[in-house]
Structure formats: C-alpha cells, structure tokens
Amino acid sequence: MDKNQILKEFSSDPEKYYNVKLFQEQGFVRKSCSKCGRFFWTLDADRTLCPDDGIDTYSFIGEPPTTKRFDYTQAWKQVEEFFVKNNHTSVSRYPVVCRWRDDLYFTIASIVDFQRIMGSKVVFEFPANPLVVPQTCLRFKDLENVGVTGRHFSSFCMIGQHSVPNNQGYWKDECVDLDYRLLTDQFGIKKEEVVFVEDVWAGGGSFGPSLEYFVRGLELGNAVFTEFQGELGQHTTLDQRVIDMGAGLERFAWITMGTPTAYDCCFGPINEKLYNTIGIDSDSEVLRKYFTEIAKEIDHYDDLNEVRRLAIKNAGITDSQLTKMITPMEGMYLIADHLRTLIFAITDGALPSNVGGGYNLRMMLRRINATVSKLNLKLDIDDLIDSHIDYLKDTYPELDEKREDVKKILKIESARYEESKGHMKKKAEKIREKGTPTVDELITFYESDGITPEYLKEVDAISEVPSSFYSKLSDLHQSEKKKAITELPLEQLPETETLFYKDDPMEFEAKVIKVFDDQVVLDKTSFYARGGGQEPDHGSIAGFEVVNVDKHADIIVHKLKGGIPNEGDTVQCKVDVTRRSNITKNHTSTHIINTSARSVLGSWVWQHSAFKDDDHARLDITHHSSLNDEQVKQIEDAANKMIKDNYPVKIEYFDRGTAEQQYGFRIYQGGVVPVKSVRIVSIEDKDIEACGGTHVKKTGDIELIKITKTKRIQDGVVRLEFVSGPNAFEYVKEQEEESKKKEQQAIEKQQLEKQREENKDKAREKIPVFIEKILAGESLDSEEINSKGKLCFTSSDNYDDYFNQNFGKKLVAKDDSAAFCGIFEAGPTIRVMIFAGEKSGVNAGEIAKEIASILGGSGGGDTKFAQGGGKDTSKKDVAIQKAKSMILG
Ligand SMILES: [Zn+2]
Ligand SMILES: [Zn+2]
C-alpha cells in the first residue's frame, strides 16, 4: 500500500480524519509547511514551517521548554502517574525477546506485546483497556547512529498508550486530548510549543490516520488510529479498531533536561562514571553546539559520516576537540547504550551467538569491546552493569534478579572475543591488502568470522563503517523463514475429534471418513499425531499397521501399511500401548530436564527444540558453552530428584492472555501457540509450559532418567540426549555390562603385562649364559633367539630395551665376528637395535635405516652400532622379516 497516497486522501478530508475535539476547543489552526507541504496543527498562527523544517528545531538543547526537570526514570513516573490518574492500567513491560511471535526475534514496538498471529491474521489481545506500558524495544537498524546522533538508541522505552474504543476504551478525541494534557499539564510544556503533524500508518493489511506530536522539532510521540482494512478506496472499517500511541520515553526526559544529547539524561549515574574515566566536562558549550548541529542535519542526509563532517565544520570543532572530546564521548555513549540493551536481552533469556537474534547481541558486545580498546579505556564492566541495573530496577525490578547472570554471560562472551583476536588480526591483514570491501563482504566477515567493521576500523583495515551495514545486517537477521506446507486432499473434511485430549482410550471404534493412497482420516482418533517434537503413535486400524500419524490443520491423517479400509467403514483401532507409554515418559522428561538444566546452569536456559521418540529423546537448550561431566551429573540428579518427589503433572486450559499474565512467557518453551485457549502443563511451580503433548500423571511414573550424551551442536545451543523409564533401566544395564567387560579386559591386560615384566627380569639374568651358548655355537631357538653362527636375531616380547642393549653390546665385545639385531616394542613405537662386530660382515646403520623406513620413522648410527624405529605397528611383521633376513641372510 502506498503511504503517500493514503496521506493525500486523508489530508484532503481533514475534518473527517484529523480534526479532533481538542483542536476545535483550543483553537488549533491547520497549516501547510511552506517548505515541504506537510499539514500540521498549531496554536501559533504565525508558524509557517513544519517541525522538521522549523527554525526552532532542537533549540531545547541548553534551553528546555519546561521548568521541571525529569531524567529517564522520573519521566516514566510522570507518564505513569498521568495515565493511571486518567483511568489507564499500567502494565509491566513484556520481554524484549518476542517469544509469542515466530516472525520476530525481538520486541520492536509496544503494540507487538498485544499482537498474536492466528493463521495469517494478526489479532489483538489486551490485558486491560485502556492501558499504558513502558515497553523496552530493541532495534538494530540504526546501530551506526547510536552514540553519534545524540538521540538514537539500540533499545529504548516506548511508552505505549493503547485503547480499543468500546465502553471502557476511547478513540481519537480523547487520545489526542490525553497526549496534549500529558505534555502541557503533567510536563508543563507551553501550549504553543506543541505541534501535531498529519501522517498515516499502514501495515499487515490495515491502515489509519496518525498524528505525530512535536515540541521544538523533537518528535515526542505518534498516535496511530488503526481503523481500516483492505485496499484504499475499497477499504472497510475494522471490527476491532485500535489506538497505538507510541512515544519515546528517552525524548520526554531529554526535552525537560535540555542536555546536549538524550544519552546524558537517560543512563543515570553511569554517565558520570564514564565522564570521569575519560576526563571530560559533560556540560561544555562545545558539546552543546556540536550535538545541536548534528540534530539539525541528521534528517537531511543519508550518510552519517557526511552529517558528522558537516556538524564539525558548523560547530567549529578543532581537530584536538574532535579527538579529545567528541570521539571519546561517542564511544562512551555507545558503551552505555549497548550495555543497557544487553542487560535487557540477557535478562529476558537471549544469548549472544552467531545464530538468529543472537547475532545482534554479539555484535553489540563486540562493538563495546572494540570501543574500549580503541579508546584505551580502563573499565570495569561489572561495575557498569551494576550502575545500570541500580538505576533501572525501580521501573524494571526483574533486571535486579538476573544481575549476576548478565555479568557471567558478558564475561564469557568477552573472553571469547579476546581469544578470537589473533585470528581476526590475520584476517584483517588480508582485507587491508585486498582493498576496501563491499557491504556484503563486511557482512560475510562478521557472519563467518565474527569480525565487526568497528574492529576493522580500529586496526585500520577500513577507513569508515559504511552507513548501510547495520540496516542490511539487521534485515538479514530480523525474522525466521516459515516452513512450506504440503497440500493434501482434505478440503471440506470436518475437524478430527482428538480423543487423546479426552478419555484417551487405547482401543476404540471410529468411522473412516476419507481414504487416499495409503492414508486414512477417521471421525475421531486416539492416535497422537506428530507435533511439538513428539513422534506419533503406532498401532493398528482395521487390522492394518499404523506407521505414521500427522496433523494437517484440524485433521489427523493416519498412514497405514499392508492394506486400507473403505470409506464409510466402522473400524477397530488399537494404539501401541508400550510405544505410547515410552514416548509419554520421554516427553514429560523433556520438561523435567529443561527445568533441571535451568536450575543448574542459569536463567538463560530455554528449550531450543526437542524430539521425543519411544527409545530415545533429545532436548536442545540455549547455553553458552559445552557441558562438563559434573554439570551433566547435576542435571541428571536434579531430574531424578523430581521423579523421586513424585509431583503431580497437572493439565489445565487457560485463555491465552490469562496464561501469559499468570505464568509469564516462560510457558512458550516449545514456541508460539497459535490458539486462543492454551493447554498448560504444570509440574507444581517447577515447570509450567504451554504444551500439546502426552504426559504422565505423576513424575514418579517415569522412574528413571539417564542422560546418555551431550554436545554443543551450534553456537549457543547444547543438545542433551537421554532415555527414560524402561529404556533408562536398559541403558543402565548395558552400561554396567559394558563396564564389567572393560574391567575384565583391564585385569587380563594387567596380568599379561605382569607376566611379560617377569619374563623380562628373568631374561636379564640369562644374558651371560646366552652369550656363552651363542659363542659355543649352540642353538637358542627355544629362547626365541635365532642364530646363524655368531649372528643372531630376536623379536621376542620377552626381551626389553635393557636386554637388547646389554646382550648385543656384551656379545660383540666378546667376539668381533659376532652381531646382534633385536626388534622390540617401547611404548607406542617399535624399535630396532643392531650391534655388529668389526669382522661380522654386518652393517648396523644400513639395517636401522631400512627397518625405520618400513616402520614410518627414522634411524641412524654407524656400521658398528645403530638404532631406529617408527610408530606404524601394522608394519611390525614386515619389519621383523626384513631385519631377520638382513642379518641372518
Ligand atoms: Zn516541512
Ligand atoms: Zn511438552
């Protein structure tokens, strides 16, 4: 839909779309901007320019239009007080990780809190009407602006004022009246300062007029009246009209404080700490001038670097002021902003990683790290986290509870960054040689090697961060792809009655209502269809084997083997009870392991995905590192403790909104629930999840859980494979047998070793006797020493290093026509040792070299003594044959 066209249409009938009661009562006049033509409403009859083009733009910096000053947290108190006084319910913020929408990773606006997707439609569910919410929103599109423009944040508090016009809620007139009084009565802004600009909003198939309100060029809020659906011209009024007023809390604080940037009044005591660290005066006239220039120019240029250059020129910033003041200030604001966003995200269960929304978080921390090192700052990040949370905890008490978790995650992640620096440096060198990379190349560097453009700038591999980098990256990681749905001939079939949610009989009678290929649809079924990671039931229908069961919307389809009944038949159905029981135990175990892992590892553990079959199951959780044996044992012990405590597993149905309010968004472990009535599976207060799977009645029914294997399957995700119930006992039995077998093998090996050692000891004593015998021409074949005259060879395991050395040496010393070659194992290598008397005709060095090369190693020495060896034990026999023939001929 073309927004400009809608605006043109609406602005052509201002009486209908924009002229609210307030404007008439107060005497607002409607004007068209003499520069851009936009329509706006003002009390100042002489005003000719819209707020964007006005000469008063950003004149509040250094000279705020209010007598009262409110910083960030105080500003919220004012807003909340005002709306509550005017019959609004103040609702706590929703998580910044958008668990209730599968098309968004993060909450990007307050209205998102109340949107639920049903099929292809967006529906609104408000816990109160009207309401106001201090919603923390994460947006990564403008990351390059953060810290630089004075007003862009990676996360900000959107004051959401929402109302549905009915007997409780209100519509346009009251909304604009409230917003006006908020500014004038509550904040004390002069009436003449407030300007309303006509605009429209369109998205998700609906649209409506909106009024943006400005004070001195600063847009404080935007009241959107979502009113219509369809195409412009053929549009109809929505059944449920909604007011979506969003205002930036940071800007409310800023307008009353008049600080050079919005950052100065929104980060609390953290700024003071950072100012002290870099040693600059935050109250300087230079900063005021510079940031006012930035604010004025920012909307007129696409390239931020251009805006920056212009502001430096216009504010008369010297090179030394730039490097000693502006650059450190920008870095400092960036650190404060990014850290605040990470605190919210990690508190709400997100982890920095290289997948999904985690990309943006890792990017933020790397930007912090790069800035710290670029400016050579000595910062205690833990201390900064404390400052942020102490400042914010009145408004957001949940941050206080996760304080240590946030510190831990950031520490681990920062250490990872340090570790990867060596690799990054090498890569940066190559990039510098190749010349300026494209934006796409920069994105690849970040995605595959974690190299941020800031880092490349820091090491001078690039001169500037391209202005489109962050918006492009953010687009790539905004949402996940949807799965394709297979088409089946199921039109006009009634919804299948799901007996597994009712009495759940394991044997039942049902009517065949549709047959196609090898698939059957019944009027009702107790066969659980594949869903939520739970594998389907097997069994029989009309005597034919059921091999698969799938759900397509509300219809359950059974796949059979060996034959198929006729449409209209009434058939006998039997569910495979053992399989069902095993799967059920594995499913409830998934819940138990999930909550056990969270209690052992930390609050950031969420179910990433799960799979439950009858003989094995796995749970993938979000966690930063691989698990060690101790952690695995602790998780397993905690899980089995829950089994021992034999808690009841309760299943109840709730209205979705009620469930969310009562239990929070932890219920969405298995992902989004696209129904209004949610099935809540709870194990006391230990684990409460929205889940459609089959569950045991009491945790004790599972009897035993064994974790069989864990693995870090991707950055930020760890897989736990496990078995439960009879399979767990079977596993324990196998493990015991296996360890018994190993023990037995170890004993046997030990005995053999002992025997050999004894033989070797005995052999040492026999050296003089053997020498006598060889020199006397007697055979030592019975002792595994082969000889031909005075030349002899052995490869017997009975003789060790010591024997070979002493025997050879002494033999040759006694008779210089004698020679000896021995091959023996020494640790992982096979060694050869040759002693040759001067008149023996044997060349020791040659033999050593030859044998060593066969064994894949090296050898050396002279004609009289040489040795060598190698590790290729597979060539041992070949080496023995060769050595034997070389010395004995
Ligand atoms: Zn204008
Ligand atoms: Zn479940």
Side-chain angles (χ1 to χ4, degrees):
M1 230 179 309
D2 184 359
K3 263 187 70 177
N4 289 326
Q5 219 173 338
I6 304 172
L7 181 58
K8 215 171 134 195
E9 169 82 17
F10 286 178
S11 282
S12 70
D13 192 353
E15 287 308 313
K16 184 171 172 191
Y17 295 104
Y18 295 110
N19 195 358
V20 290
K21 222 161 104 195
L22 176 91
F23 294 170
Q24 298 161 35
E25 282 171 5
Q26 296 285 330
F28 273 82
V29 284
R30 183 170 185 258
K31 300 236 169 179
S32 172
C33 174
S34 61
K35 200 163 174 188
C36 70
R38 283 212 296 170
F39 290 100
F40 61 92
W41 297 75
T42 176
L43 286 172
D44 176 2
D46 298 330
R47 191 182 176 101
T48 57
L49 294 165
C50 78
D52 279 344
D53 297 314
I55 42 164
D56 59 347
T57 293
Y58 287 84
S59 62
F60 65 89
I61 295 179
E63 203 186 326
T66 61
T67 47
K68 293 179 227 166
R69 307 271 172 269
F70 304 111
D71 74 356
Y72 179 80
T73 54
Q74 292 160 343
W76 169 246
K77 290 253 164 350
Q78 292 299 317
V79 173
E80 187 182 38
E81 185 190 289
F82 175 80
F83 280 110
V84 169
K85 202 162 61 189
N86 286 286
N87 302 319
H88 289 66
T89 305
S90 175
V91 176
S92 297
R93 78 168 175 100
Y94 281 48
V96 298
V97 183
C98 196
R99 309 274 180 194
W100 58 96
R101 291 267 297 258
D102 57 11
D103 57 338
L104 289 174
Y105 288 121
F106 297 109
T107 309
I108 53 168
S110 62
I111 192 71
V112 169
D113 295 356
F114 315 109
Q115 291 173 330
R116 299 294 176 273
I117 312 288
M118 303 275 275
S120 61
K121 267 185 77 182
V122 177
V123 298
F124 291 97
E125 289 176 9
F126 294 98
N129 182 32
L131 64 81
V132 63
V133 59
Q135 183 56 44
T136 309
C137 299
L138 269 51
R139 289 188 189 174
F140 302 107
K141 262 188 175 332
D142 295 324
L143 228 48
E144 55 145 3
N145 290 343
V146 175
V148 179
T149 63
R151 60 169 144 141
H152 284 92
F153 294 84
S154 59
S155 64
F156 64 100
C157 172
M158 186 184 277
I159 304 163
Q161 172 199 1
H162 301 287
S163 164
V164 175
N166 55 23
N167 49 7
Q168 295 158 324
Y170 50 80
W171 192 234
K172 275 183 219 174
D173 285 339
E174 195 172 341
C175 176
V176 179
D177 185 62
L178 283 163
D179 295 339
Y180 178 71
R181 284 197 287 123
L182 173 69
L183 299 180
T184 53
D185 296 352
Q186 194 77 21
F187 280 87
I189 295 168
K190 277 204 207 91
K191 293 177 176 185
E192 299 72 33
E193 298 265 16
V194 186
V195 179
F196 291 90
V197 175
E198 293 180 5
D199 203 358
V200 296
W201 181 89
S206 52
F207 61 97
S210 76
L211 283 165
E212 296 171 329
Y213 50 94
F214 290 78
V215 174
R216 299 221 192 147
L218 183 67
E219 183 190 340
L220 289 173
N222 185 13
V224 173
F225 308 102
T226 312
E227 180 163 26
F228 306 112
Q229 62 183 354
E231 282 298 313
L232 185 69
Q234 285 116 46
H235 57 276
T236 54
T237 304
L238 287 163
D239 297 337
Q240 194 188 22
R241 293 180 298 165
V242 173
I243 287 182
D244 172 18
M245 198 298 292
L249 180 64
E250 283 80 0
R251 295 179 173 199
F252 271 72
W254 194 18
I255 198 99
T256 75
M257 301 290 276
T259 46
T261 74
Y263 314 127
D264 299 304
C265 52
C266 292
F267 295 141
I270 202 169
N271 279 338
E272 205 56 42
K273 271 188 185 143
L274 290 167
Y275 291 137
N276 291 339
T277 310
I278 53 176
I280 50 173
D281 175 16
S282 62
D283 205 24
S284 117
E285 187 54 34
V286 180
L287 291 174
R288 226 174 340 257
K289 261 200 311 276
Y290 173 76
F291 281 108
T292 309
E293 286 300 326
I294 286 272
K296 278 185 182 167
E297 301 298 344
I298 184 87
D299 289 331
H300 302 125
Y301 294 90
D302 281 340
D303 187 350
L304 181 65
N305 297 316
E306 188 60 37
V307 175
R308 215 168 162 266
R309 276 192 284 272
L310 223 83
I312 290 166
K313 198 176 127 224
N314 292 349
I317 302 287
T318 65
D319 279 355
S320 132
Q321 281 168 332
L322 183 65
T323 51
K324 289 206 178 105
M325 268 179 104
I326 306 294
T327 305
M329 287 292 271
E330 289 172 343
M332 196 194 86
Y333 293 140
L334 179 149
I335 292 168
D337 166 273
H338 285 17
L339 204 53
R340 185 172 77 164
T341 301
L342 286 164
I343 290 170
F344 276 106
I346 295 168
T347 295
D348 292 351
L351 285 177
S353 73
N354 60 16
V355 286
Y359 257 116
N360 293 308
L361 304 182
R362 171 163 289 172
M363 170 64 88
M364 307 261 274
L365 187 61
R366 299 209 158 180
R367 274 165 61 96
I368 292 177
N369 291 329
T371 306
V372 169
S373 87
K374 184 180 78 187
L375 297 175
N376 203 11
L377 299 174
K378 299 273 168 291
L379 290 182
D380 181 352
I381 296 288
D382 280 1
D383 186 41
L384 297 183
I385 293 170
D386 281 333
S387 298
H388 261 316
I389 294 179
D390 288 341
Y391 179 62
L392 293 167
K393 70 181 178 192
D394 270 354
T395 317
Y396 305 113
E398 65 280 6
L399 301 181
D400 200 18
E401 292 163 28
K402 303 287 166 60
R403 192 188 285 259
E404 296 312 313
D405 286 351
V406 172
K407 289 180 187 171
K408 192 167 174 181
I409 296 294
L410 292 189
K411 217 165 266 165
I412 292 169
E413 186 61 22
S414 288
R416 255 182 214 149
Y417 176 71
E418 287 304 318
E419 274 168 29
S420 63
K421 268 192 168 168
H423 168 72
M424 281 163 50
K425 212 172 159 188
K426 269 186 221 148
K427 197 87 200 198
E429 226 111 87
K430 278 194 196 137
I431 293 167
R432 191 184 301 129
E433 281 163 24
K434 261 190 77 186
T436 312
T438 63
V439 174
D440 287 333
E441 280 170 334
L442 285 175
I443 286 175
T444 311
F445 296 147
Y446 177 58
E447 290 186 336
S448 54
D449 296 279
I451 300 176
T452 61
E454 272 80 12
Y455 175 79
L456 293 175
K457 197 180 162 192
E458 184 194 330
V459 297
D460 281 326
I462 58 172
S463 58
E464 255 162 17
V465 179
S467 52
S468 60
F469 176 80
Y470 290 108
S471 58
K472 220 164 177 184
L473 186 77
S474 155
D475 284 345
L476 283 172
H477 297 286
Q478 175 95 350
S479 57
E480 286 166 298
K481 283 197 189 114
K482 298 254 167 72
K483 278 180 217 147
I485 300 160
T486 30
E487 292 285 331
L488 290 179
L490 301 170
E491 304 91 37
Q492 266 136 39
L493 291 187
E495 179 182 332
T496 310
E497 187 186 343
T498 48
L499 299 175
F500 48 83
Y501 285 149
K502 294 173 182 168
D503 295 342
D504 196 18
M506 292 294 102
E507 287 185 36
F508 62 98
E509 219 170 59
K511 204 171 157 204
V512 177
I513 60 168
K514 177 87 183 173
V515 169
F516 57 93
D517 306 329
D518 52 359
Q519 322 233 27
V520 174
V521 178
L522 305 172
D523 61 342
K524 55 177 182 271
T525 189
S526 232
F527 284 94
Y528 183 84
R530 177 180 288 109
Q534 177 170 339
E535 285 295 280
D537 281 337
H538 288 172
S540 67
I541 291 175
F544 305 118
E545 196 186 340
V546 177
V547 292
N548 195 16
V549 188
D550 270 316
K551 200 171 174 185
H552 299 267
D554 294 330
I555 298 156
I556 292 173
V557 180
H558 311 75
K559 187 181 164 113
L560 305 188
K561 207 172 110 182
I564 200 142
N566 296 314
E567 275 178 22
D569 284 359
T570 296
V571 288
Q572 291 298 319
C573 310
K574 252 173 102 172
V575 175
D576 178 339
V577 180
T578 313
R579 176 180 165 86
R580 161 69 85 78
S581 160
N582 286 341
I583 293 179
T584 298
K585 284 173 185 172
N586 276 342
H587 191 141
T588 308
S589 300
T590 311
H591 290 225
I592 291 176
I593 292 177
N594 190 17
T595 191
S596 301
R598 189 173 311 120
S599 67
V600 169
L601 302 172
S603 65
W604 53 82
V605 169
W606 277 73
Q607 175 175 315
H608 180 263
S609 64
F611 178 82
K612 308 102 179 179
D613 207 345
D614 68 332
D615 57 349
H616 70 292
R618 60 172 184 260
L619 169 69
D620 295 346
I621 56 167
T622 52
H623 183 59
H624 49 73
S625 310
S626 305
L627 304 185
N628 61 36
D629 292 348
E630 180 60 28
Q631 289 167 324
V632 174
K633 191 176 180 304
Q634 283 175 353
I635 295 169
E636 193 179 275
D637 287 351
N640 285 311
K641 170 84 171 42
M642 280 179 74
I643 288 174
K644 199 167 152 253
D645 290 341
N646 203 19
Y647 298 117
V649 180
K650 218 162 67 185
I651 292 171
E652 290 164 291
Y653 286 86
F654 286 91
D655 174 67
R656 180 167 50 199
T658 313
E660 288 173 359
Q661 290 297 313
Q662 194 163 333
Y663 300 117
F665 291 88
R666 281 262 175 233
I667 59 171
Y668 295 137
Q669 293 288 330
V672 173
V673 178
V675 287
K676 266 195 91 76
S677 171
V678 293
R679 188 173 184 256
I680 295 290
V681 178
S682 55
I683 305 172
E684 300 275 289
D685 58 353
K686 314 256 177 248
D687 184 79
I688 298 162
E689 295 182 30
C691 176
T694 61
H695 288 279
V696 297
K697 299 243 174 337
K698 289 175 124 193
T699 55
D701 297 350
I702 297 169
E703 295 178 286
L704 183 69
I705 290 175
K706 294 304 280 183
I707 297 171
T708 55
K709 197 178 159 192
T710 71
K711 194 179 167 208
R712 186 165 179 237
I713 54 165
Q714 68 184 55
D715 195 13
V717 180
V718 173
R719 169 165 294 172
L720 294 107
E721 294 179 21
F722 63 92
V723 284
S724 70
N727 285 315
F729 288 109
E730 187 63 29
Y731 176 77
V732 171
K733 214 173 104 193
E734 276 168 19
Q735 289 294 103
E736 276 168 3
E737 277 165 13
E738 185 72 14
S739 79
K740 243 187 229 160
K741 214 165 112 192
K742 272 191 190 144
E743 219 171 282
Q744 189 57 36
Q745 281 170 343
I747 291 170
E748 280 168 15
K749 199 177 163 201
Q750 222 176 358
Q751 281 170 342
L752 195 70
E753 282 292 314
K754 207 175 146 204
Q755 187 61 45
R756 273 190 189 174
E757 286 309 312
E758 281 171 11
N759 288 345
K760 285 171 186 169
D761 283 346
K762 274 184 213 151
R764 290 178 184 190
E765 291 160 20
K766 290 182 191 160
I767 290 174
V769 184
F770 285 178
I771 290 174
E772 287 302 316
K773 285 194 172 171
I774 291 287
L775 295 180
E778 285 178 39
S779 165
L780 280 178
D781 285 354
S782 62
E783 303 288 348
E784 295 182 70
I785 296 174
N786 310 117
S787 57
K788 191 177 177 190
K790 289 171 190 169
L791 309 177
C792 43
F793 170 83
T794 185
S795 60
S796 169
D797 288 334
N798 289 333
Y799 305 129
D800 61 359
D801 189 341
Y802 179 92
F803 177 89
N804 279 279
Q805 182 139 357
N806 283 277
F807 180 76
K809 202 168 164 184
K810 284 175 184 158
L811 177 72
V812 174
K814 281 219 159 163
D815 189 327
D816 62 3
S817 61
F820 168 77
C821 172
I823 289 190
F824 55 97
E825 283 184 28
T829 54
I830 300 163
R831 290 185 59 198
V832 63
M833 200 177 267
I834 310 105
F835 293 88
E838 234 165 293
K839 294 174 188 156
S840 67
V842 172
N843 184 333
E846 251 172 39
I847 297 175
K849 235 179 242 165
E850 181 76 25
I851 300 309
S853 86
I854 290 171
L855 294 169
S858 60
D862 53 26
T863 52
K864 286 191 270 179
F865 170 70
Q867 58 181 338
K871 285 187 178 166
D872 189 355
T873 48
S874 71
K875 296 277 165 57
K876 187 177 173 182
D877 285 342
V878 180
I880 289 171
Q881 287 317 315
K882 183 75 190 174
K884 197 171 171 184
S885 72
M886 279 182 90
I887 185 154
L888 301 183

mmCIF file of all heavy atoms in Angstrom, residues 234-247:
data_model
loop_
_atom_site.group_PDB
_atom_site.id
_atom_site.type_symbol
_atom_site.label_atom_id
_atom_site.label_comp_id
_atom_site.label_asym_id
_atom_site.label_seq_id
_atom_site.Cartn_x
_atom_site.Cartn_y
_atom_site.Cartn_z
ATOM 1 N N GLN A 234 -11.452 0.804 -1.578
ATOM 2 C CA GLN A 234 -12.409 -0.275 -1.297
ATOM 3 C C GLN A 234 -12.313 -0.715 0.160
ATOM 4 O O GLN A 234 -12.729 -1.796 0.521
ATOM 5 C CB GLN A 234 -12.125 -1.492 -2.196
ATOM 6 C CG GLN A 234 -12.554 -1.339 -3.641
ATOM 7 C CD GLN A 234 -11.374 -1.385 -4.566
ATOM 8 O OE1 GLN A 234 -10.498 -2.250 -4.428
ATOM 9 N NE2 GLN A 234 -11.308 -0.446 -5.493
ATOM 10 N N HIS A 235 -11.710 0.140 0.984
ATOM 11 C CA HIS A 235 -11.449 -0.291 2.361
ATOM 12 C C HIS A 235 -12.705 -0.281 3.224
ATOM 13 O O HIS A 235 -13.668 0.442 2.958
ATOM 14 C CB HIS A 235 -10.367 0.586 2.997
ATOM 15 C CG HIS A 235 -10.679 2.035 3.006
ATOM 16 N ND1 HIS A 235 -10.427 2.867 1.929
ATOM 17 C CD2 HIS A 235 -11.224 2.819 3.957
ATOM 18 C CE1 HIS A 235 -10.805 4.101 2.226
ATOM 19 N NE2 HIS A 235 -11.288 4.092 3.451
ATOM 20 N N THR A 236 -12.651 -1.147 4.255
ATOM 21 C CA THR A 236 -13.758 -1.211 5.210
ATOM 22 C C THR A 236 -13.216 -0.923 6.601
ATOM 23 O O THR A 236 -12.012 -0.983 6.834
ATOM 24 C CB THR A 236 -14.381 -2.626 5.213
ATOM 25 O OG1 THR A 236 -13.332 -3.573 5.446
ATOM 26 C CG2 THR A 236 -15.065 -2.928 3.895
ATOM 27 N N THR A 237 -14.122 -0.583 7.507
ATOM 28 C CA THR A 237 -13.703 -0.304 8.881
ATOM 29 C C THR A 237 -13.468 -1.629 9.611
ATOM 30 O O THR A 237 -14.220 -2.584 9.442
ATOM 31 C CB THR A 237 -14.780 0.514 9.617
ATOM 32 O OG1 THR A 237 -15.009 1.700 8.848
ATOM 33 C CG2 THR A 237 -14.342 0.893 11.020
ATOM 34 N N LEU A 238 -12.395 -1.686 10.387
ATOM 35 C CA LEU A 238 -12.056 -2.901 11.144
ATOM 36 C C LEU A 238 -13.091 -3.178 12.233
ATOM 37 O O LEU A 238 -13.662 -2.250 12.799
ATOM 38 C CB LEU A 238 -10.693 -2.720 11.821
ATOM 39 C CG LEU A 238 -9.443 -2.752 10.953
ATOM 40 C CD1 LEU A 238 -8.271 -2.150 11.715
ATOM 41 C CD2 LEU A 238 -9.116 -4.195 10.564
ATOM 42 N N ASP A 239 -13.311 -4.466 12.514
ATOM 43 C CA ASP A 239 -14.200 -4.828 13.624
ATOM 44 C C ASP A 239 -13.609 -4.306 14.931
ATOM 45 O O ASP A 239 -14.294 -3.869 15.826
ATOM 46 C CB ASP A 239 -14.328 -6.355 13.741
ATOM 47 C CG ASP A 239 -14.968 -6.943 12.502
ATOM 48 O OD1 ASP A 239 -15.688 -6.183 11.809
ATOM 49 O OD2 ASP A 239 -14.737 -8.140 12.230
ATOM 50 N N GLN A 240 -12.279 -4.419 15.009
ATOM 51 C CA GLN A 240 -11.615 -4.003 16.237
ATOM 52 C C GLN A 240 -10.647 -2.862 15.921
ATOM 53 O O GLN A 240 -9.518 -3.089 15.516
ATOM 54 C CB GLN A 240 -10.860 -5.203 16.819
ATOM 55 C CG GLN A 240 -10.414 -5.018 18.245
ATOM 56 C CD GLN A 240 -9.513 -6.156 18.720
ATOM 57 O OE1 GLN A 240 -8.896 -6.862 17.934
ATOM 58 N NE2 GLN A 240 -9.433 -6.330 20.018
ATOM 59 N N ARG A 241 -11.125 -1.642 16.105
ATOM 60 C CA ARG A 241 -10.236 -0.508 15.900
ATOM 61 C C ARG A 241 -9.317 -0.392 17.116
ATOM 62 O O ARG A 241 -9.718 -0.721 18.231
ATOM 63 C CB ARG A 241 -11.062 0.783 15.747
ATOM 64 C CG ARG A 241 -11.887 0.801 14.462
ATOM 65 C CD ARG A 241 -12.682 2.083 14.360
ATOM 66 N NE ARG A 241 -13.637 2.211 15.465
ATOM 67 C CZ ARG A 241 -14.244 3.348 15.785
ATOM 68 N NH1 ARG A 241 -13.998 4.447 15.117
ATOM 69 N NH2 ARG A 241 -15.099 3.387 16.789
ATOM 70 N N VAL A 242 -8.097 0.079 16.875
ATOM 71 C CA VAL A 242 -7.120 0.111 17.967
ATOM 72 C C VAL A 242 -6.330 1.416 17.948
ATOM 73 O O VAL A 242 -5.924 1.883 16.884
ATOM 74 C CB VAL A 242 -6.113 -1.059 17.816
ATOM 75 C CG1 VAL A 242 -4.991 -0.937 18.835
ATOM 76 C CG2 VAL A 242 -6.801 -2.404 17.971
ATOM 77 N N ILE A 243 -6.127 1.990 19.119
ATOM 78 C CA ILE A 243 -5.218 3.133 19.226
ATOM 79 C C ILE A 243 -3.839 2.619 19.590
ATOM 80 O O ILE A 243 -3.670 1.876 20.558
ATOM 81 C CB ILE A 243 -5.703 4.149 20.284
ATOM 82 C CG1 ILE A 243 -6.930 4.894 19.738
ATOM 83 C CG2 ILE A 243 -4.584 5.149 20.619
ATOM 84 C CD1 ILE A 243 -7.453 5.950 20.675
ATOM 85 N N ASP A 244 -2.883 3.006 18.769
ATOM 86 C CA ASP A 244 -1.494 2.609 19.019
ATOM 87 C C ASP A 244 -0.667 3.883 19.126
ATOM 88 O O ASP A 244 -0.132 4.367 18.156
ATOM 89 C CB ASP A 244 -1.022 1.718 17.855
ATOM 90 C CG ASP A 244 0.458 1.427 17.922
ATOM 91 O OD1 ASP A 244 1.058 1.604 18.998
ATOM 92 O OD2 ASP A 244 1.024 1.004 16.881
ATOM 93 N N MET A 245 -0.604 4.421 20.339
ATOM 94 C CA MET A 245 0.205 5.618 20.540
ATOM 95 C C MET A 245 1.545 5.182 21.110
ATOM 96 O O MET A 245 1.606 4.536 22.131
ATOM 97 C CB MET A 245 -0.496 6.581 21.502
ATOM 98 C CG MET A 245 0.018 8.021 21.465
ATOM 99 S SD MET A 245 1.750 8.259 21.932
ATOM 100 C CE MET A 245 1.675 7.866 23.681
ATOM 101 N N GLY A 246 2.608 5.496 20.398
ATOM 102 C CA GLY A 246 3.937 5.164 20.889
ATOM 103 C C GLY A 246 4.754 6.433 21.062
ATOM 104 O O GLY A 246 4.798 7.274 20.166
ATOM 105 N N ALA A 247 5.370 6.567 22.225
ATOM 106 C CA ALA A 247 6.186 7.758 22.481
ATOM 107 C C ALA A 247 7.507 7.320 23.089
ATOM 108 O O ALA A 247 7.569 6.350 23.838
ATOM 109 C CB ALA A 247 5.452 8.698 23.428
#
